[in-house]
Amino acid sequence: MRLIFRLRIRVALLAVVVFLAGSSARSQTSQTVEIDVNATAHAFPHFWEKMFGSGRAILSLRDSYRRDLRETKRITGVEYVRFHAIFHDEVGVYDEDASGKPIYNFSYVDQIYDGLLENKVRPFVELAFMPKKLASDPNALHPFWYKQNVAPPKDWSKWDQFIEAFSRHLVQRYGEEEVANWYFEVWNEPNLDFWSGDPKEATYYELYDHTARTIKRVSARLRVGGPSTAQAAWVDRFLAHCKEKNVPVDFASSHVYGNDKAEDVFGTHESIPRNEMVCRAVKKVHQQIAASPYPKMPLIWTEYNADYSNQPPVTDSAYMGPFLANTIRECDGLTEMMSYWTFSDVFEEQGVVKTPFYGGFGILAERSIPKPAFNDFALLHRLGETRLDVSSDSTLVTRGKDGSLMIAVWNLFLPEEAGSPRTVTLRFKGLPQSRSARITIVDKEHGSPLPAYEKLGHPASPTPSQIDALRKAAALPAARQHAITNGSLTIELQPHALALIEVSK
């Protein structure tokens, strides 16, 4: 009876949503944006594309992983890749002989980092998780498919020796000059179930202290930081701890996702939409750092996305374009780097991929099929490195080194909203006459493989020819030339559309 009642309620609610969505879609909105080419401007480094997350370390040895990395490098300015589990037993880095003496093997570590460097990206080294023979509890296994150990070490001196051997090996192999450009982040999300120390915060600080001091003994030039927490937690207390105990720290890091709850991030009962959660959390930590003993401490946001729960209508959809553009607009100036989680669906936290479009974190789906987010990153990469002021919450105006204008405009609605089309008129001030613009638009029908996938009947295992068809359907649409008439340009944006407008010098 309970099930039947719930189903009736859901059907009724669905009917209401469909009615409201239809009503919303029938209404067209309009917007006028004034763009002064001589407006106040500031430097606009591409903080959103300098780093990406990925599936765990061992996956980087796969050809499919490296192919996706090269594709991401082709369309973005990615400089660093961060992944979990460089110390997982499958990497073979740590063992002990019969007497308990440590044995180190850096063969796969070398192949993993060589692969990144060969593709012209550097490691953002997450120092995790615990080798089982070094773990205080060999059964402290996380529920991820690859069952990493999340316990503190059984012997702190062995942990110190291990970290020293690992760090020293990297310096000897790649050179101090190179490794000084890397980052070393202690652990991953110790405030959640990725750390079984008890109490969590105090035992994490013990881990951090041992690790940071050991790394600095190898070379004072190596950069180390934390606390790498979920939900924007602990950063203020972590920095206070480092100051009090005189522990080395070169950067602060944390994570948040668009569907994290306000109770977990801010300790409030607000309803914060996923469009706003990420940058509100970043701003919170930015302000904590400003008020800390280290007010100039770099903040590196080492994980973010619109959703952590694999929702196809979110991470596989055109919604990601407006989400990304709005996140860039709001987070500008708050963080040195933001690491989108992840660049590829070569990813196994929940097990082997079962279907190409399951709401995976990657901008490339299985078999290197571009999602809308891939094309969105390609468009946003074209933005200039100077940002001009504009009175709009859905527009980014930038200038390139050659004086050209690159403008991102979007039509943002929540994924569950049908939204409505929008007519956007850009009125330029200070722009010479007789100009034209190149306009590229990504929306649910353009630059997305999903309509083609639906026509194919949602195959769980597409054939090679179907994969080729999906890749072609997902290609970034060609730019169209539009005249700027009397200093004005008008475009039509469907819901969840992102447009890039390029006005040459």
Side-chain angles (χ1 to χ4, degrees):
M1 290 296 292
R2 289 182 186 176
L3 179 59
I4 293 173
F5 178 74
R6 288 175 181 169
L7 286 172
R8 287 174 177 169
I9 290 293
R10 288 175 183 172
V11 169
L13 288 173
L14 179 61
V16 172
V17 169
V18 169
F19 172 78
L20 292 175
S23 299
S24 176
R26 285 192 291 270
S27 62
Q28 179 101 4
T29 61
S30 62
Q31 177 186 18
T32 299
V33 180
E34 306 284 345
I35 297 176
D36 183 352
V37 299
N38 298 309
T40 304
H42 65 266
F44 189 51
H46 285 203
F47 62 92
W48 67 90
E49 62 171 359
K50 290 183 178 181
M51 178 163 61
F52 280 82
S54 83
R56 72 189 190 278
I58 202 72
L59 298 181
S60 70
L61 299 180
R62 293 186 187 173
D63 179 65
S64 55
Y65 177 105
R66 294 182 177 184
R67 182 172 61 244
D68 285 357
L69 178 58
R70 287 190 291 272
E71 276 296 281
T72 302
K73 181 71 175 178
R74 180 177 65 83
I75 59 103
T76 71
V78 58
E79 299 174 13
Y80 294 93
V81 168
R82 172 184 178 270
F83 41 65
H84 304 321
I86 193 66
F87 296 156
H88 196 288
D89 286 340
E90 64 190 352
V91 179
V93 68
Y94 184 90
D95 200 356
E96 293 182 358
D97 65 16
S99 66
K101 181 181 178 181
I103 302 170
Y104 309 129
N105 183 349
F106 300 115
S107 174
Y108 276 2
V109 169
D110 295 344
Q111 293 179 52
I112 287 166
Y113 291 152
D114 287 355
L116 297 184
L117 294 168
E118 287 166 5
N119 284 294
K120 297 180 172 56
V121 297
R122 289 180 164 125
F124 195 102
V125 181
E126 177 200 295
L127 298 163
F129 293 95
M130 195 62 60
K132 287 183 184 176
K133 288 191 176 179
L134 187 51
S136 56
D137 180 2
N139 297 314
L141 304 182
H142 190 272
F144 277 172
W145 187 68
Y146 58 92
K147 298 294 184 289
Q148 70 272 34
N149 190 287
V150 296
K154 64 182 180 183
D155 183 324
W156 285 109
S157 64
K158 285 187 175 181
W159 173 259
D160 293 346
Q161 292 166 24
F162 173 48
I163 293 298
E164 180 169 357
F166 175 78
S167 306
R168 196 170 300 282
H169 172 79
L170 297 178
V171 169
Q172 290 172 347
R173 179 176 177 81
Y174 300 106
E176 185 178 40
E177 195 68 31
E178 169 60 31
V179 182
N181 290 307
W182 301 9
Y183 293 85
F184 292 82
E185 184 182 38
V186 180
W187 215 254
N188 174 71
E189 298 187 350
N191 57 320
L192 300 186
D193 58 357
F194 294 95
W195 177 245
S196 68
D198 186 21
K200 283 184 178 292
E201 193 166 355
T203 55
Y204 171 76
Y205 291 165
E206 186 175 14
L207 176 78
Y208 180 85
D209 297 355
H210 276 268
T211 307
R213 286 174 171 146
T214 300
I215 287 173
K216 290 294 187 179
R217 281 200 301 271
V218 173
S219 170
R221 297 180 64 192
L222 302 189
R223 296 182 288 197
V224 62
S228 190
T229 41
Q231 301 165 343
W234 294 7
V235 172
D236 50 351
R237 298 196 298 270
F238 167 74
L239 292 177
H241 164 83
C242 290
K243 181 66 174 179
E244 179 186 356
K245 302 298 183 182
N246 194 29
V247 184
V249 60
D250 297 301
F251 64 91
S253 64
S254 195
H255 309 160
V256 83
Y257 286 78
N259 59 329
D260 271 320
K261 293 181 174 58
E263 288 84 353
D264 296 324
V265 180
F266 300 101
T268 68
H269 298 292
E270 302 169 79
S271 178
I272 301 176
R274 71 174 76 239
N275 298 340
E276 303 297 328
M277 174 57 78
V278 171
C279 289
R280 280 190 58 174
V282 173
K283 186 175 182 180
K284 165 193 160 180
V285 176
H286 177 83
Q287 292 173 338
Q288 287 179 340
I289 292 173
S292 79
Y294 307 96
K296 302 297 184 181
M297 181 66 61
L299 172 60
I300 301 177
W301 210 261
T302 50
E303 280 187 35
Y304 83 99
N305 202 314
D307 192 282
Y308 60 73
S309 55
N310 296 142
Q311 297 295 322
V314 182
T315 45
D316 289 345
S317 76
Y319 163 77
M320 293 305 298
F323 168 82
L324 286 166
N326 191 59
T327 298
I328 293 167
R329 180 185 70 86
E330 291 188 336
C331 287
D332 179 22
L334 300 179
T335 173
E336 290 203 359
M337 286 193 289
M338 293 185 72
S339 180
Y340 184 86
W341 189 259
T342 59
F343 73 79
S344 172
D345 278 351
V346 178
F347 193 85
E348 294 175 349
E349 287 182 357
Q350 308 304 324
V352 176
V353 174
K354 298 178 178 65
T355 180
F357 303 105
Y358 65 97
F361 296 113
I363 63 175
L364 286 156
E366 185 188 30
R367 304 300 184 96
S368 302
I369 301 169
K371 301 181 189 179
F374 179 85
N375 291 320
D376 297 324
F377 269 105
L379 290 186
L380 295 166
H381 173 68
R382 298 182 193 171
L383 292 174
E385 294 194 349
T386 300
R387 180 179 171 187
L388 281 62
D389 289 353
V390 63
S391 296
S392 171
D393 62 1
S394 58
T395 308
L396 278 167
V397 181
T398 68
R399 183 167 55 231
K401 293 178 182 178
D402 63 354
S404 59
L405 294 179
M406 281 75 74
I407 304 160
V409 184
W410 55 92
N411 190 8
L412 177 59
F413 291 89
L414 290 168
E416 61 270 22
E417 296 174 324
S420 56
R422 177 179 295 175
T423 300
V424 180
T425 298
L426 305 181
R427 290 183 179 167
F428 295 92
K429 178 182 178 182
L431 188 71
Q433 296 296 317
S434 303
R435 302 294 286 275
S436 65
R438 296 174 70 249
I439 302 176
T440 311
I441 299 177
V442 173
D443 58 27
K444 63 182 180 181
E445 299 293 335
H446 304 91
S448 171
L450 296 183
Y453 187 63
E454 185 174 351
K455 288 180 183 178
L456 291 173
H458 303 91
S461 299
T463 65
S465 62
Q466 288 175 327
I467 291 167
D468 288 342
L470 290 169
R471 288 175 181 162
K472 290 177 182 177
L476 182 67
R480 293 183 293 177
Q481 204 79 14
H482 287 256
I484 299 175
T485 306
N486 297 323
S488 291
L489 175 69
T490 298
I491 62 173
E492 304 287 336
L493 294 179
Q494 294 301 311
H496 303 155
L498 170 66
L500 182 77
I501 301 161
E502 300 171 274
V503 183
S504 60
K505 185 177 179 181

